[in-house]
Amino acid sequence: MNIRTPLIFCENLRRVRQQASLDLPGTARRAAMDSDRLRALEAGTSDPSLSEICALAQALGTTAAALVAHDDAQAKAAWDKEEIRRLERAWSSTPDLICVIDRDLRYVLVNDAYPALLGIPRERILGTPAGLLLPAATFEREAKPRLLRCLGGETVEWQGWFDHPRTREQIFCVCRFMPWTDPVTKAPHVIIIIREQTAQQRMLENLRESEKTTSLLFRVSNIIAGSGETEEVYPIIRRILGEVIPTEHFYVALVDHRHDRLDFAYVASDRDRDLPPVERLSRLAPPLSKDNFGDFKCGNLLTEVIRTAHPLCVTRKVMRMTGMACPGALPEVWMGVPIRVRQEVLGVMAVKQFDRHARYAKKDMDIMLSVAEQLAYGVDRRRTMADLRAAKVEADRANRAKSDFLAGMSHEIRTPLNAVLGLADLLLASRLEPEQIDYLETIRDSARHLLTVVGDILDLSKIEARRLDLEDIDFDLSGVLRSTVKTFGTMAAKKGLWLNLDLSPSVPRHLRGDPNRLRQIIINLVGNALKFTESGGVTIRVAHAEPATKTKVVLRFEVTDTGIGLPRQQSATLFNMFRQADASTARKYGGTGLGLAISRQLVELMGGSIEVSSAPNKGSTFRFTAVFAPGRPTLKTANIPAPAANAPADRAPAYILLAEDNPVNVKLAGAHLQKLGYRLSVAQSGVQALEALARERFDLVLMDVEMPGMDGVTASGIIRTGGPADHPVLDPDVPIVAVTAHASPEVRRRCLEAGMDEYLTKPINFAELAAIIQRLLPSQGKTPPAPPPAPSPVAPQPPAGPTDTSPHNILDTRAAMERLGIDPAGYAPILAVSAREIDKRLELCRTALAQGNLADLALHAHTLKSTTSTIGAGQGAQYARSLEHAADAGKLDEAAAHLRDLEKELHEVAVCIQAALRQITTVKPAGPPLRS
């Protein structure tokens, strides 16, 4: 600094202060300076700083130039130059880029950071046009407008990513343009301060990206978790993913292991539509190993992602170099990520870009991979649910098939059991040798046991299929319990055991529920108790389990015995299917192990529970609860099988109409009813039954449920309404008993709703039938008369008939007679009737098939199946069964093929029937002729 500069400043400072009439302390306070410092400056003993000059000028109301101005221009220039150098030294100490731009947009001042950054000497920078840090186009478009605004007096902020002038790397800079006026020339200038914040900005952007990715994944996760179908989430995922990466062309392809291919589950692109699946996927994407990791023979981007289970980003150039194909239109860049859960690749999610300058960054791939992982859980969940649904459908189908099979087998077994039990009862009513009686009783007891087993299996199938429904009817609890005691009275007496009933007086007599299922439970428990008790007896106790209300009655039933008991560990499994106490139980006492399991299920259906307390050699107590509603008194009592009472000889026999289309069942039922002394008329369909009831009065109708044309349920409903308008029935209130092989609550309910009075299942227990008839018929002259005297003993005759040597037993007469329990004399009329029935039904089958009437075809095939099975034509019955099933399924061509097979078989059956009839020399009628 020139030696005169402090003197000039001192003089000007004193002069201006005196002109402003300010003392030294007051001036120091205004300039925010210490008084001693100001005194030293006025004395010239210390050089002022630029900031002190400016502060004093402001305090004295003048300018800094006025304080340093002098007539000597050289001294002023020296002062200005020295101050500028001091300012430059201050600017150069900062890493920020600082420069001053004049009104011509030229550099007039730059700090040391400029030459260091640009690699250009300061002399070459000063005076040159601004814009050395930016490309010319960017300067003209972005920087120049901002500089012009700043020259107009506006402070401008600007920040963003820029290319480094030398390395061309991306750097983030914050720029501040501030207007400044030269205090001497008064010319406008711009002070530019540029600060690089690349590291801070990258950190901030990474944080923002992380927050955005987290939010994005959270949204995707919520959508996938809340959506039932995966197809619904694909467009939503595409839209969300499109917030961070281009998804104009978006694809999802899923692996189909069943068909060994890759299917496009979702395609959103205007370039690609209806992309075909990638076939033979297992060959194109074999399991990855160290030997084939670098093998690109598969030639497909999708399968390569599946093969490696890694994301892949490929440009068009790389595709051409490697020969890898991209499904659909060829893009500039393709990126795909695996949809992977655990170690399994479920598919591929991919995006395309067709812009020549398009590219994807690593962060794009990471985000897309994270989204694919979220999607994988949705796809896996849907696949698992689909597998579970398919398994459930298959299980339900198998369960239905099993239930249908068991129901069908029950029907098929009950039908021949009807003949076995019926004929056994007929033979036992005749005069026989003791040995013959013993044989027949064994046959009857075995058939009844088989019938019980069939019933248990049918109940089990319905319980497992959840098709077992309880009835809701009024019943007499006392009657149910006493009938059960009466049923087992003989068994208990034979073993020398007591059987007691302890019914609490407070228990209501009339309840509403299912009496038959309640009886079934008690019979199971009492039967088991008597089976496993050798001395002592069994007691049945019934009491309230909780106080009764107006709408609910909860009872506790106990069956206590003094039998063998069982250990505690065996009690836990006693109610499981097919389980007994131990292996020796079945060998010693018999049984299937189903009774208690079915009882438990029935108790639970009744809203209760069942348990057992027992100890070895101390007996057992089975307890169960059941929930009922209060009932009303009913005139009907329980169906208790009882022998028919003999009527006085002067009373007229009851007249019964038997509606049945199966000739064999007609003969069996007719023989029993006529043996009991009833008059009988037969109708072979519901229509014939209506016609008969319009012509004559009957005391009772036995109505088969399944008949051609009009079934028994429909016919009963018409009877109850008075019959057809043109032929009304004479007695709409005639008692009707339903007879069917379908022992199910659904069929029973249909029958009762149609107005039928009773329900009897096949095989018919003719003692029970006699009791039902006796109960339904009025006592005035309608009870059955005494049966006729039994015939004289007849020596048993060996079954006669042709010996069939054909490979598939065309007609096994010997087996048929043994199964029916009849001799050739009883078999001959059944055989003759069956021959006529087969010819008739076969012709009806041909007609129904020609007309396409599959319903009639199934009905006639059903009758043929029953008829051929009864007479011993086993293969014919099989063909008839196949024909029935095909007709029920609506398979016309298959039914035609089965009918051809049946016709061939029945032709041979007819030949065998004629041969058998010729060999039977003596044919005795099975009973009195039936009126039809």
Side-chain angles (χ1 to χ4, degrees):
M1 179 180 293
N2 187 282
I3 190 66
R4 294 181 61 190
T5 300
L7 295 177
I8 296 172
F9 174 75
C10 295
E11 294 174 356
N12 289 341
L13 178 60
R14 286 194 298 269
R15 178 176 55 81
V16 173
R17 183 172 63 80
Q18 292 173 357
Q19 290 177 353
S21 300
L22 293 173
D23 58 4
L24 188 142
T27 303
R29 285 195 302 272
R30 287 191 176 190
M33 295 176 61
D34 184 73
S35 297
D36 293 339
R37 174 62 179 167
L38 180 57
R39 189 175 288 106
L41 292 177
E42 284 190 357
T45 59
S46 179
D47 291 340
S49 68
L50 182 61
S51 61
E52 289 174 329
I53 296 173
C54 293
L56 288 169
Q58 185 177 4
L60 296 173
T62 186
T63 64
L67 293 178
V68 299
H70 193 270
D71 293 338
D72 190 343
Q74 183 179 1
K76 182 177 183 301
W79 168 260
D80 291 342
K81 185 174 182 180
E82 180 64 22
E83 291 305 313
I84 289 175
R85 281 199 298 269
R86 291 169 66 186
L87 183 59
E88 288 177 349
R89 285 194 299 271
W91 288 0
S92 297
S93 65
T94 176
D96 296 342
L97 295 170
I98 303 176
C99 69
V100 178
I101 305 295
D102 63 13
R103 75 176 93 195
D104 297 325
L105 302 184
R106 293 179 180 274
Y107 293 105
V108 297
L109 181 65
V110 295
N111 68 347
D112 293 346
Y114 260 88
L117 178 67
L118 295 173
I120 302 174
R122 188 189 305 271
E123 291 75 12
R124 292 181 55 188
I125 297 175
L126 297 176
T128 61
L132 294 177
L133 299 178
L134 298 172
T138 305
F139 177 81
E140 291 291 331
R141 184 178 66 251
E142 302 289 345
K144 187 174 180 180
R146 289 178 169 86
L147 288 172
L148 295 177
R149 284 162 52 195
C150 189
L151 287 172
E154 179 182 351
T155 300
V156 179
E157 299 282 352
W158 185 28
Q159 64 181 16
W161 289 94
F162 305 94
D163 290 335
H164 193 284
R166 286 191 298 168
T167 65
R168 311 312 298 175
E169 293 181 356
Q170 285 275 301
I171 59 175
F172 187 85
C173 297
V174 176
C175 308
R176 184 177 177 83
F177 298 171
M178 297 178 294
W180 177 72
T181 303
D182 188 291
V184 178
T185 65
K186 307 300 182 180
H189 291 68
V190 176
I191 299 175
I192 301 176
I193 302 175
I194 302 175
R195 175 169 295 176
E196 182 193 355
Q197 294 184 346
T198 303
Q200 297 91 323
Q201 186 64 23
R202 289 195 186 280
M203 185 181 301
L204 180 61
E205 289 188 356
N206 289 340
L207 179 61
R208 289 174 179 171
E209 285 293 332
S210 176
E211 292 177 350
K212 190 171 185 178
T213 301
T214 302
S215 174
L216 183 146
L217 294 179
F218 180 75
R219 290 159 59 195
V220 170
S221 177
N222 283 344
I223 290 168
I224 292 175
S227 177
E229 294 296 333
T230 310
E231 290 82 357
E232 300 174 357
V233 307
Y234 295 144
I236 303 176
I237 289 177
R238 176 198 177 202
R239 187 178 67 252
I240 295 176
L241 195 59
E243 297 175 7
V244 291
I245 63 174
T247 57
E248 290 83 3
H249 310 281
F250 180 80
Y251 310 81
V252 175
L254 299 179
V255 176
D256 183 354
H257 291 291
R258 180 180 179 184
H259 298 96
D260 191 24
R261 68 187 185 190
L262 187 70
D263 290 321
F264 285 90
Y266 180 73
V267 176
S269 173
D270 56 359
R271 298 287 189 98
D272 298 322
R273 296 177 181 176
D274 300 327
L275 294 177
V278 180
E279 304 288 351
R280 295 184 293 177
L281 183 62
S282 59
R283 184 183 66 82
L284 296 175
L288 190 65
S289 67
K290 63 179 181 179
D291 299 325
N292 67 1
F293 186 83
D295 186 3
F296 290 91
K297 291 182 180 179
C298 63
N300 190 297
L301 294 173
L302 292 169
T303 55
E304 184 62 19
V305 172
I306 293 175
R307 187 179 74 90
T308 62
H310 280 72
L312 188 64
C313 186
V314 183
T315 62
R316 178 184 292 210
K317 181 178 179 181
V318 173
M319 294 180 208
R320 289 173 176 171
M321 291 174 57
T322 60
M324 298 183 70
C326 174
L330 184 64
E332 288 295 328
V333 61
W334 181 93
M335 182 170 67
V337 296
I339 302 173
R340 181 178 58 192
V341 59
R342 295 176 290 276
Q343 300 301 318
E344 181 184 3
V345 178
L346 306 179
V348 179
M349 186 167 67
V351 289
K352 289 181 180 181
Q353 288 199 67
F354 294 89
D355 187 354
R356 291 179 55 188
H357 303 289
R359 58 182 174 179
Y360 290 107
K362 183 179 182 302
K363 67 179 182 65
D364 299 332
M365 180 180 290
D366 292 340
I367 292 176
M368 194 167 172
L369 187 60
S370 298
V371 173
E373 289 176 354
Q374 294 291 330
L375 179 59
Y377 290 108
V379 173
D380 184 55
R381 182 187 64 185
R382 181 196 175 197
R383 183 182 62 175
T384 302
M385 293 301 297
D387 291 343
L388 289 175
R389 284 194 294 268
K392 182 180 183 300
V393 170
E394 178 61 24
D396 291 343
R397 187 201 62 78
N399 206 14
R400 285 194 301 271
K402 181 195 72 174
S403 300
D404 293 342
F405 170 76
L406 290 176
M409 288 303 297
S410 171
H411 180 79
E412 295 298 324
I413 294 173
R414 286 172 183 270
T415 299
L417 277 179
N418 181 33
V420 173
L421 288 172
L423 293 173
D425 289 339
L426 281 175
L427 288 174
L428 284 171
S430 62
R431 295 180 181 179
L432 300 173
E433 297 294 332
E435 184 178 13
Q436 294 173 329
I437 294 174
D438 182 59
Y439 291 160
L440 283 172
E441 287 179 344
T442 302
I443 291 173
R444 183 185 61 187
D445 292 342
S446 298
R448 288 176 177 173
H449 176 70
L450 179 59
L451 186 60
T452 301
V453 173
V454 170
D456 286 346
I457 293 176
L458 183 60
D459 284 345
L460 172 61
S461 68
K462 290 183 178 180
I463 290 171
E464 289 184 343
R466 293 180 174 84
R467 294 169 60 183
L468 181 63
D469 297 324
L470 297 181
E471 285 190 310
D472 188 25
I473 60 175
D474 294 320
F475 68 95
D476 185 342
L477 176 63
S478 176
V480 171
L481 296 173
R482 296 187 187 284
S483 68
T484 304
V485 172
K486 185 175 181 180
T487 300
F488 288 102
T490 303
M491 178 180 178
K494 285 183 179 180
K495 298 184 68 173
L497 305 174
W498 76 73
L499 179 58
N500 297 330
L501 173 61
D502 182 3
L503 180 61
S504 173
S506 61
V507 172
R509 176 176 179 178
H510 301 290
L511 299 174
R512 187 170 184 82
D514 191 330
N516 293 317
R517 293 302 181 184
L518 176 62
R519 182 187 298 108
Q520 182 178 353
I521 298 169
I522 298 174
I523 286 176
N524 279 334
L525 298 181
V526 174
N528 277 346
L530 291 174
K531 182 192 300 184
F532 297 111
T533 302
E534 299 299 331
S535 62
V538 177
T539 301
I540 306 171
R541 295 186 178 89
V542 184
H544 284 284
E546 58 184 60
T549 67
K550 293 182 179 180
T551 60
K552 184 171 69 172
V553 178
V554 184
L555 300 181
R556 181 179 65 253
F557 299 81
E558 292 185 359
V559 177
T560 303
D561 65 64
T562 58
I564 61 176
L566 68 157
R568 180 183 298 273
Q569 60 270 21
Q570 293 177 348
S571 301
T573 61
L574 199 60
F575 296 100
N576 294 343
M577 300 291 184
F578 305 104
R579 292 295 298 271
Q580 293 178 308
D582 54 44
S584 63
T585 302
R587 292 193 300 270
K588 182 175 180 181
Y589 297 99
T592 62
L594 289 176
L596 291 178
I598 293 173
S599 296
R600 183 189 67 178
Q601 299 286 349
L602 293 176
V603 167
E604 291 176 354
L605 286 175
M606 291 181 178
S609 61
I610 188 170
E611 61 181 7
V612 59
S613 58
S614 182
N617 302 318
K618 292 185 179 180
S620 303
T621 298
F622 286 83
R623 301 180 184 87
F624 72 91
T625 58
V627 180
F628 305 95
R632 295 177 299 176
T634 174
L635 297 177
K636 290 188 178 181
T637 58
N639 295 337
I640 308 169
N646 293 337
D650 57 348
R651 291 186 180 179
Y655 192 14
I656 295 176
L657 174 63
L658 174 62
E660 171 66 68
D661 67 313
N662 191 310
V664 177
N665 291 338
V666 170
K667 278 198 168 294
L668 287 173
H672 278 279
L673 293 173
Q674 290 180 350
K675 187 178 181 66
L676 292 172
Y678 295 113
R679 291 191 301 138
L680 190 66
S681 181
V682 177
Q684 295 183 349
S685 68
V687 174
Q688 291 185 14
L690 292 175
E691 293 174 351
L693 290 167
R695 290 192 309 267
E696 301 178 80
R697 286 186 176 272
F698 291 89
D699 298 309
L700 184 137
V701 178
L702 293 178
M703 183 74 73
D704 185 25
V705 171
E706 294 182 355
M707 290 184 294
M710 180 185 294
D711 59 43
V713 176
T714 304
S716 298
I718 296 175
I719 292 170
R720 290 298 183 235
T721 59
D726 52 346
H727 291 88
V729 298
L730 299 178
D731 184 6
D733 298 323
V734 61
I736 304 175
V737 178
V739 182
T740 178
H742 294 292
S744 67
E746 293 85 357
V747 176
R748 180 184 179 91
R749 186 180 300 110
R750 287 178 53 217
C751 294
L752 297 179
E753 288 174 354
M756 297 183 176
D757 297 276
E758 283 290 353
Y759 177 90
L760 195 62
T761 59
K762 297 178 182 178
I764 298 174
N765 183 320
F766 285 97
E768 183 178 357
L769 175 60
I772 290 174
I773 295 175
Q774 180 182 359
R775 184 168 61 252
L776 291 178
L777 293 180
S779 58
Q780 291 81 5
K782 297 267 181 101
T783 54
S792 59
V794 179
Q797 299 180 9
T803 302
D804 182 25
T805 58
S806 62
H808 56 273
N809 289 331
I810 297 174
L811 183 65
D812 194 343
T813 58
R814 186 181 301 276
M817 286 187 287
E818 290 177 356
R819 186 176 67 254
L820 296 174
I822 57 178
D823 58 10
Y827 180 62
I830 294 177
L831 200 61
V833 171
S834 298
R836 294 192 298 271
E837 184 70 12
I838 287 173
D839 289 341
K840 171 186 173 183
R841 295 291 177 175
L842 199 57
E843 183 60 32
L844 291 172
C845 283
R846 296 189 192 100
T847 303
L849 181 65
Q851 296 174 349
N853 191 340
L854 295 181
D856 285 354
L857 180 60
L859 180 64
H860 300 318
H862 177 81
T863 304
L864 281 173
K865 175 185 66 176
S866 176
T867 302
T868 52
S869 176
T870 300
I871 64 176
Q875 186 62 42
Q878 289 292 338
Y879 285 138
R881 181 179 291 106
S882 299
L883 176 59
E884 179 186 8
H885 290 170
D888 282 334
K891 300 177 180 178
L892 188 62
D893 294 339
E894 186 176 330
H898 288 310
L899 181 56
R900 289 193 293 270
D901 295 336
L902 181 62
E903 287 176 327
K904 295 177 182 178
E905 182 67 21
L906 294 185
H907 175 73
E908 299 182 23
V909 170
V911 174
C912 293
I913 289 175
Q914 296 303 320
L917 290 174
R918 286 194 296 270
Q919 292 188 21
I920 298 175
T921 57
T922 303
V923 179
K924 297 181 179 180
L930 300 179
R931 179 178 178 180
S932 60

mmCIF file of all heavy atoms in Angstrom, residues 27 76 88 116 124 230 235 259 270 302 314 339 362 467 497 661 671 761 859 890:
data_model
loop_
_atom_site.group_PDB
_atom_site.id
_atom_site.type_symbol
_atom_site.label_atom_id
_atom_site.label_comp_id
_atom_site.label_asym_id
_atom_site.label_seq_id
_atom_site.Cartn_x
_atom_site.Cartn_y
_atom_site.Cartn_z
ATOM 1 N N THR A 27 -19.040 7.908 17.068
ATOM 2 C CA THR A 27 -18.737 7.290 15.779
ATOM 3 C C THR A 27 -18.366 5.808 15.958
ATOM 4 O O THR A 27 -18.761 4.943 15.154
ATOM 5 C CB THR A 27 -17.583 8.048 15.092
ATOM 6 O OG1 THR A 27 -17.965 9.416 14.960
ATOM 7 C CG2 THR A 27 -17.293 7.462 13.732
ATOM 8 N N LYS A 76 -4.874 6.776 -5.338
ATOM 9 C CA LYS A 76 -6.156 6.063 -5.285
ATOM 10 C C LYS A 76 -6.074 4.734 -6.010
ATOM 11 O O LYS A 76 -6.598 3.711 -5.571
ATOM 12 C CB LYS A 76 -7.244 6.940 -5.906
ATOM 13 C CG LYS A 76 -8.647 6.321 -5.860
ATOM 14 C CD LYS A 76 -9.670 7.260 -6.424
ATOM 15 C CE LYS A 76 -11.056 6.646 -6.301
ATOM 16 N NZ LYS A 76 -11.161 5.393 -6.995
ATOM 17 N N GLU A 88 -8.929 -10.858 -3.314
ATOM 18 C CA GLU A 88 -8.619 -12.070 -4.058
ATOM 19 C C GLU A 88 -7.991 -13.130 -3.161
ATOM 20 O O GLU A 88 -8.259 -14.330 -3.280
ATOM 21 C CB GLU A 88 -7.699 -11.754 -5.229
ATOM 22 C CG GLU A 88 -8.376 -11.016 -6.372
ATOM 23 C CD GLU A 88 -7.393 -10.657 -7.469
ATOM 24 O OE1 GLU A 88 -6.180 -10.797 -7.242
ATOM 25 O OE2 GLU A 88 -7.858 -10.258 -8.557
ATOM 26 N N ALA A 116 -7.526 -24.018 -11.243
ATOM 27 C CA ALA A 116 -7.276 -25.396 -10.809
ATOM 28 C C ALA A 116 -8.280 -26.361 -11.433
ATOM 29 O O ALA A 116 -7.928 -27.476 -11.829
ATOM 30 C CB ALA A 116 -7.337 -25.473 -9.288
ATOM 31 N N ARG A 124 -5.750 -16.303 -19.044
ATOM 32 C CA ARG A 124 -6.558 -16.723 -20.192
ATOM 33 C C ARG A 124 -8.048 -16.752 -19.848
ATOM 34 O O ARG A 124 -8.880 -16.775 -20.737
ATOM 35 C CB ARG A 124 -6.110 -18.093 -20.673
ATOM 36 C CG ARG A 124 -4.717 -18.092 -21.302
ATOM 37 C CD ARG A 124 -4.337 -19.481 -21.780
ATOM 38 N NE ARG A 124 -5.328 -20.033 -22.688
ATOM 39 C CZ ARG A 124 -5.327 -21.292 -23.141
ATOM 40 N NH1 ARG A 124 -4.354 -22.106 -22.755
ATOM 41 N NH2 ARG A 124 -6.256 -21.690 -23.969
ATOM 42 N N THR A 230 -53.792 -63.645 -8.594
ATOM 43 C CA THR A 230 -52.531 -63.008 -8.975
ATOM 44 C C THR A 230 -52.714 -62.139 -10.208
ATOM 45 O O THR A 230 -52.048 -61.104 -10.351
ATOM 46 C CB THR A 230 -51.473 -64.093 -9.241
ATOM 47 O OG1 THR A 230 -51.453 -65.002 -8.147
ATOM 48 C CG2 THR A 230 -50.103 -63.469 -9.380
ATOM 49 N N PRO A 235 -51.169 -55.622 -13.414
ATOM 50 C CA PRO A 235 -51.202 -54.227 -13.881
ATOM 51 C C PRO A 235 -50.894 -53.223 -12.775
ATOM 52 O O PRO A 235 -50.315 -52.169 -13.037
ATOM 53 C CB PRO A 235 -52.633 -54.059 -14.407
ATOM 54 C CG PRO A 235 -53.421 -55.156 -13.784
ATOM 55 C CD PRO A 235 -52.478 -56.288 -13.586
ATOM 56 N N HIS A 259 -47.202 -78.967 -17.836
ATOM 57 C CA HIS A 259 -47.090 -79.057 -19.290
ATOM 58 C C HIS A 259 -45.672 -78.770 -19.782
ATOM 59 O O HIS A 259 -45.451 -78.691 -20.992
ATOM 60 C CB HIS A 259 -48.065 -78.077 -19.957
ATOM 61 C CG HIS A 259 -49.509 -78.355 -19.648
ATOM 62 N ND1 HIS A 259 -50.183 -77.692 -18.636
ATOM 63 C CD2 HIS A 259 -50.396 -79.226 -20.184
ATOM 64 C CE1 HIS A 259 -51.427 -78.135 -18.587
ATOM 65 N NE2 HIS A 259 -51.591 -79.060 -19.507
ATOM 66 N N ASP A 270 -47.459 -52.514 -26.662
ATOM 67 C CA ASP A 270 -48.086 -52.308 -27.962
ATOM 68 C C ASP A 270 -47.255 -52.926 -29.081
ATOM 69 O O ASP A 270 -47.662 -52.909 -30.236
ATOM 70 C CB ASP A 270 -48.282 -50.812 -28.216
ATOM 71 C CG ASP A 270 -46.975 -50.038 -28.108
ATOM 72 O OD1 ASP A 270 -45.933 -50.673 -27.825
ATOM 73 O OD2 ASP A 270 -46.996 -48.809 -28.298
ATOM 74 N N LEU A 302 -35.380 -65.575 -21.546
ATOM 75 C CA LEU A 302 -36.234 -66.007 -20.450
ATOM 76 C C LEU A 302 -35.722 -67.292 -19.809
ATOM 77 O O LEU A 302 -35.617 -67.389 -18.584
ATOM 78 C CB LEU A 302 -37.666 -66.210 -20.948
ATOM 79 C CG LEU A 302 -38.429 -64.951 -21.368
ATOM 80 C CD1 LEU A 302 -39.709 -65.329 -22.087
ATOM 81 C CD2 LEU A 302 -38.742 -64.090 -20.168
ATOM 82 N N VAL A 314 -29.552 -57.126 -21.026
ATOM 83 C CA VAL A 314 -28.859 -57.377 -22.283
ATOM 84 C C VAL A 314 -29.265 -56.321 -23.299
ATOM 85 O O VAL A 314 -30.449 -55.985 -23.414
ATOM 86 C CB VAL A 314 -29.196 -58.786 -22.822
ATOM 87 C CG1 VAL A 314 -28.403 -59.077 -24.094
ATOM 88 C CG2 VAL A 314 -28.900 -59.843 -21.780
ATOM 89 N N ILE A 339 -38.537 -64.649 -10.812
ATOM 90 C CA ILE A 339 -39.565 -64.664 -9.767
ATOM 91 C C ILE A 339 -39.270 -65.916 -8.949
ATOM 92 O O ILE A 339 -39.671 -67.027 -9.311
ATOM 93 C CB ILE A 339 -40.978 -64.698 -10.369
ATOM 94 C CG1 ILE A 339 -41.189 -63.480 -11.277
ATOM 95 C CG2 ILE A 339 -42.042 -64.741 -9.289
ATOM 96 C CD1 ILE A 339 -42.492 -63.511 -12.044
ATOM 97 N N LYS A 362 -28.011 -50.283 -12.355
ATOM 98 C CA LYS A 362 -28.031 -51.398 -11.404
ATOM 99 C C LYS A 362 -29.153 -51.231 -10.388
ATOM 100 O O LYS A 362 -29.783 -52.212 -9.986
ATOM 101 C CB LYS A 362 -26.688 -51.499 -10.685
ATOM 102 C CG LYS A 362 -26.605 -52.690 -9.732
ATOM 103 C CD LYS A 362 -25.273 -52.761 -9.059
ATOM 104 C CE LYS A 362 -25.197 -53.992 -8.161
ATOM 105 N NZ LYS A 362 -26.238 -54.017 -7.141
ATOM 106 N N ARG A 467 -72.940 -85.670 4.644
ATOM 107 C CA ARG A 467 -74.262 -85.746 4.017
ATOM 108 C C ARG A 467 -75.281 -86.413 4.934
ATOM 109 O O ARG A 467 -76.366 -86.774 4.507
ATOM 110 C CB ARG A 467 -74.169 -86.508 2.681
ATOM 111 C CG ARG A 467 -73.358 -85.777 1.630
ATOM 112 C CD ARG A 467 -73.045 -86.639 0.430
ATOM 113 N NE ARG A 467 -74.229 -87.122 -0.239
ATOM 114 C CZ ARG A 467 -74.204 -87.944 -1.285
ATOM 115 N NH1 ARG A 467 -73.052 -88.343 -1.779
ATOM 116 N NH2 ARG A 467 -75.316 -88.350 -1.844
ATOM 117 N N LEU A 497 -78.419 -112.052 32.402
ATOM 118 C CA LEU A 497 -78.064 -110.699 32.817
ATOM 119 C C LEU A 497 -79.322 -109.869 33.031
ATOM 120 O O LEU A 497 -80.369 -110.133 32.443
ATOM 121 C CB LEU A 497 -77.199 -110.019 31.742
ATOM 122 C CG LEU A 497 -75.928 -110.753 31.317
ATOM 123 C CD1 LEU A 497 -75.274 -110.007 30.150
ATOM 124 C CD2 LEU A 497 -74.950 -110.884 32.477
ATOM 125 N N ASP A 661 -92.478 -102.934 -9.447
ATOM 126 C CA ASP A 661 -92.253 -103.317 -10.834
ATOM 127 C C ASP A 661 -91.299 -104.484 -10.982
ATOM 128 O O ASP A 661 -91.142 -105.013 -12.080
ATOM 129 C CB ASP A 661 -91.701 -102.121 -11.621
ATOM 130 C CG ASP A 661 -90.298 -101.737 -11.167
ATOM 131 O OD1 ASP A 661 -90.073 -101.641 -9.945
ATOM 132 O OD2 ASP A 661 -89.430 -101.531 -12.036
ATOM 133 N N ALA A 671 -95.855 -113.717 -1.550
ATOM 134 C CA ALA A 671 -95.862 -114.960 -0.782
ATOM 135 C C ALA A 671 -96.023 -114.691 0.703
ATOM 136 O O ALA A 671 -96.798 -115.365 1.398
ATOM 137 C CB ALA A 671 -94.574 -115.739 -1.056
ATOM 138 N N THR A 761 -87.350 -100.017 4.685
ATOM 139 C CA THR A 761 -86.186 -100.194 3.813
ATOM 140 C C THR A 761 -86.012 -101.653 3.441
ATOM 141 O O THR A 761 -86.374 -102.561 4.200
ATOM 142 C CB THR A 761 -84.909 -99.692 4.499
ATOM 143 O OG1 THR A 761 -84.708 -100.414 5.721
ATOM 144 C CG2 THR A 761 -84.984 -98.213 4.786
ATOM 145 N N LEU A 859 -83.409 -96.509 -16.422
ATOM 146 C CA LEU A 859 -84.392 -97.199 -15.591
ATOM 147 C C LEU A 859 -84.546 -98.653 -16.008
ATOM 148 O O LEU A 859 -84.537 -99.564 -15.171
ATOM 149 C CB LEU A 859 -85.728 -96.457 -15.677
ATOM 150 C CG LEU A 859 -86.881 -97.055 -14.851
ATOM 151 C CD1 LEU A 859 -86.542 -96.988 -13.380
ATOM 152 C CD2 LEU A 859 -88.175 -96.317 -15.143
ATOM 153 N N GLY A 890 -75.161 -89.646 -19.366
ATOM 154 C CA GLY A 890 -75.478 -88.957 -20.612
ATOM 155 C C GLY A 890 -74.568 -89.322 -21.772
ATOM 156 O O GLY A 890 -74.472 -88.579 -22.745
#
